[in-house]
Amino acid sequence: MALIGRLFVILFGFLAACFVAGMIVVVALLYPEFSDLGIEPPDPDTLNIVLGFGFIFVSGFALVPAMILVLITEAFYIRGILAYAIGGAICGAACYLGLIPFDPATMHFEGIVRRHLEIMTGAGVMAGFTYWLIAGRNAGAWRDPPRGPLPPDLPAQT
C-alpha cells in the first residue's frame, strides 16, 4: 500500500519538476526579448500558452532519463540533494543533446549552441532540486516497516 502512495508522490514530484524546468527554459529563452527597453511585456494569456508548451516539451523529453534516475535513487535509498541536482543536470543536458544532430563519422554534435545547453542544464538542476523537495527526501522510505505502537508484553508463564 505504501508503494502505491509513493508512486503518486513520484508522479507529482516529476510533474512539478517539469513545470519548474519548463518555466526556466521559456523565461531564459525569452529574456533577450524582455531586456530590450522598446518592447512591451507580453500578453499574459500568450505567456500562459508558451509556459504550457514549455512544460509539455520538458516533460516529454525528460520522461525516460528522469524515470531512470528515480529508479536508481529509490533502489539505493539515495536522498542527498546533490545527487538530485547532478542527476537533473545530466537529464537536462541529455534532453538538449537528444535534439542536436550527431555526426558519427567525426564523433561530435553538429550545431551546439552553448547558451541553450547551459539553459537546459540549469533547468535540469532546478528540476532536480524541486523533485528532491517533493519526493527525493524520502527515497526508498516505502520499504521501511510501518512505525506503530509496540504490542503489549506477553504474560509470564508460571
Side-chain angles (χ1 to χ4, degrees), residues 28-157:
L29 290 177
L30 291 179
Y31 180 73
E33 300 296 326
F34 290 154
S35 64
D36 187 12
L37 295 177
I39 296 178
E40 297 178 11
D43 182 32
D45 295 331
T46 305
L47 191 60
N48 289 338
I49 292 171
V50 171
L51 287 176
F53 278 115
F55 166 72
I56 292 169
F57 169 76
V58 169
S59 63
F61 283 103
L63 180 63
V64 173
M67 286 301 123
I68 291 171
L69 182 66
V70 167
L71 286 174
I72 291 170
T73 57
E74 288 289 328
F76 295 110
Y77 294 91
I78 299 173
R79 296 180 180 175
I81 187 170
L82 188 59
Y84 288 94
I86 291 172
I90 291 170
C91 287
C95 289
Y96 177 72
L97 293 176
L99 297 173
I100 302 300
F102 180 73
D103 184 17
T106 59
M107 297 298 288
H108 76 281
F109 291 94
E110 298 289 335
I112 291 180
V113 178
R114 184 174 173 181
R115 181 174 185 272
H116 295 169
L117 180 62
E118 292 168 354
I119 289 170
M120 287 297 289
T121 305
V125 169
M126 289 308 297
F129 176 71
T130 303
Y131 180 81
W132 175 81
L133 282 175
I134 295 172
R137 294 181 295 162
N138 299 320
W142 55 273
R143 291 193 219 170
D144 295 337
R147 295 181 188 163
L150 295 174
D153 291 335
L154 296 174
Q157 298 291 331

